[in-house]
Amino acid sequence: MNDQNLRRIHPKKKPATEPIHPLMMKRLVPLCLILMAAATGWAQTEIPEKFQSRILEFAPDADTNEDGSLTTEELKAYYPSLPLQAQQMLNRRFPELKTSLSEAEEGETTETLSFKRPAGSPQEGREKGYNCLFLGHSYFVPIVMKIQQHAVALGLENHEQYIVASGGPKGSPGKLWANEQVSKPAKDLLKSGSVELVAMTAHYVGSEVEDYSRWVDLALEHNPKTVFVLQSPWAQKQEKDFTEYTQEIQSIMQTSGGLVEALRAKYPGVVFMRVAQAQWMSDLWRLYEDKQLPELTSLIAPSKGEAQASLFRDQHGHGGDLAVNEGVFLWLRVLYGIDLKSYDIPTMTAYDTKSLAQKITDDDPYAAFPQ
């Protein structure tokens, strides 16, 4: 993938008319650590504003009254859905904060991630749930965070996941690998040999074949049966109109497909699949333009509290509630082959978004699990 193709994934654009979210301009503390750090404050004081904005960026549904702020009571209610590794890593990342690790096993350190069970075969993982490691940025994390709750609902008893993330290009495979402070827990987890599935995304830098290969090589060294999933991220919104946006989406899909082909050729016999998140957002915008999503009253949310009725959360292009909350359907289809049409779960619109997600996935030549 050359520099020109990389720019197709997330091209550098002139500044948006609205400020770009600060998460995209500086390195993010890994999401789960931010959440846990804020959670520990509920026994002492209100949640610091800097933590509130970061939590709500990745977990907007924690704001149950949709007032744009996060109370301790709201976070308490959301706490059970937080990633488990937050408890283990808090003291290392935020030594000034106090927390109770009473649920941690005796002798377990706060610097070590671990799964409850050893790795099994890819077929077993697909049937019962994978040990998953997710690596990405803010166009990726809000969606994969939601896989856990669906896995429970679907009876995938073995599904467990860890998320390591940084904002913007720093969440690309290459940039994450180079940032030892952020990536070390993920690398150590891979070295344990217990990771069964690694999922990554892309950006306009740090997304060459060799950037993915560093993670692939490490994973395969310790578990030769590791499954890999690549997300084709949707384009930044910025000032693009519908035509410009959909043209860029087509380029992203072509580029990410070529990436999957290159990795499959480099690692014969290894499973590489794609989640067509870019196509998902393009199709949602098309439906919005065609007045088939009347529940969406705006293309871009006028304020932070109105993302539920908007396709984009902000001018930059972060997904609104529909794009994110139901974008997880594509992951369920790719990872586990879930029949979304028969998945009994309510959706945000009268339009059948489950069938849309299933069609996008089934039409994608890079999404199928090898038989």
Side-chain angles (χ1 to χ4, degrees):
M1 193 185 311
N2 57 35
D3 290 342
Q4 183 177 2
N5 284 337
L6 285 174
R7 283 191 287 272
R8 290 175 183 169
I9 291 182
H10 272 314
K12 295 181 179 178
K13 301 288 291 184
K14 61 183 179 180
T17 55
E18 296 181 18
I20 294 176
H21 195 284
L23 291 178
M24 302 302 292
M25 296 186 287
K26 63 182 180 179
R27 182 184 63 79
L28 292 177
V29 177
L31 165 68
C32 54
L33 306 184
I34 296 171
L35 290 170
M36 192 62 187
T40 60
W42 70 46
Q44 302 172 17
T45 185
E46 65 181 18
I47 304 168
E49 186 175 346
K50 65 178 181 180
F51 286 146
Q52 286 192 45
S53 62
R54 295 177 181 178
I55 294 168
L56 292 175
E57 174 65 29
F58 284 120
D61 46 352
D63 178 18
T64 54
N65 64 4
E66 300 182 357
D67 65 353
S69 63
L70 190 64
T71 66
T72 56
E73 290 302 315
E74 286 175 323
L75 189 54
K76 284 181 184 179
Y78 196 77
Y79 180 82
S81 66
L82 302 183
L84 297 177
Q85 75 272 31
Q87 298 180 15
Q88 298 173 300
M89 297 174 64
L90 175 62
N91 285 346
R92 179 179 68 86
R93 193 70 183 183
F94 297 100
E96 73 279 9
L97 296 175
K98 296 180 180 181
T99 186
S100 170
L101 299 177
S102 59
E103 295 181 3
E105 297 179 6
E106 184 176 355
E108 183 177 53
T109 72
T110 58
E111 298 187 13
T112 303
L113 306 183
S114 62
F115 286 113
K116 298 174 183 176
R117 60 177 182 81
S121 71
Q123 291 74 20
E124 291 171 334
R126 191 163 173 85
E127 293 173 2
K128 298 181 180 180
Y130 293 103
N131 289 338
C132 303
L133 174 62
F134 295 107
L135 307 168
H137 48 58
S138 60
Y139 278 36
F140 171 89
V141 172
I143 299 175
V144 299
M145 274 188 68
K146 300 181 181 300
I147 298 175
Q148 181 71 54
Q149 65 194 61
H150 288 281
V152 172
L154 290 164
L156 296 164
E157 57 187 25
N158 285 345
H159 179 94
E160 190 176 356
Q161 63 184 67
Y162 288 112
I163 299 171
V164 176
S166 282
K170 293 182 180 180
S172 68
K175 295 291 186 179
L176 272 178
W177 179 272
N179 189 336
E180 189 63 23
Q181 185 178 20
V182 174
S183 66
K184 186 180 185 303
K187 293 174 182 176
D188 289 345
L189 188 61
L190 290 172
K191 292 174 184 177
S192 74
S194 60
V195 177
E196 297 173 316
L197 184 144
V198 177
M200 294 175 275
T201 185
H203 212 281
Y204 60 83
V205 296
S207 301
E208 298 275 9
V209 171
E210 54 265 31
D211 295 314
Y212 293 90
S213 293
R214 294 185 182 96
W215 291 102
V216 173
D217 289 342
L218 181 61
L220 294 179
E221 178 184 354
H222 298 281
N223 179 11
K225 298 180 180 179
T226 305
V227 171
F228 298 91
V229 177
L230 277 60
Q231 180 210 45
S232 62
W234 59 68
Q236 295 175 1
K237 169 61 176 74
Q238 303 283 27
E239 298 173 355
K240 305 181 190 81
D241 61 21
F242 176 70
T243 300
E244 293 173 317
Y245 194 84
T246 54
Q247 288 174 346
E248 187 173 336
I249 291 296
Q250 291 174 4
S251 294
I252 291 173
M253 292 293 291
Q254 181 179 1
T255 301
S256 63
L259 178 63
V260 174
E261 289 182 354
L263 290 168
R264 286 177 175 177
K266 185 174 181 179
Y267 301 96
V270 177
V271 177
F272 289 92
M273 299 183 291
R274 176 174 72 174
V275 176
Q277 219 78 57
Q279 189 63 53
W280 166 252
M281 183 60 88
S282 177
D283 285 359
L284 288 181
W285 193 345
R286 188 181 305 278
L287 291 169
Y288 173 82
E289 290 288 318
D290 292 342
K291 312 295 185 185
Q292 295 190 61
L293 297 175
E295 296 86 354
L296 299 185
T297 57
S298 61
L299 183 65
I300 301 171
S303 66
K304 289 183 179 180
E306 298 178 77
Q308 184 175 2
S310 305
L311 183 59
F312 294 100
R313 181 171 298 276
D314 51 33
Q315 182 71 36
H316 190 281
H318 293 92
D321 289 4
L322 174 62
V324 170
N325 293 351
E326 299 182 13
V328 70
F329 292 152
L330 283 77
W331 285 87
L332 299 178
R333 184 67 175 166
V334 172
L335 267 60
Y336 296 119
I338 301 302
D339 181 4
L340 299 172
K341 297 178 182 180
S342 63
Y343 182 22
D344 186 16
I345 185 172
T347 57
M348 295 176 60
T349 67
Y351 189 89
D352 189 355
T353 53
K354 289 184 287 187
S355 291
L356 173 63
Q358 184 145 320
K359 184 179 188 305
I360 290 172
T361 303
D362 291 356
D363 288 348
D364 183 3
Y366 304 107
F369 185 83
Q371 300 300 318

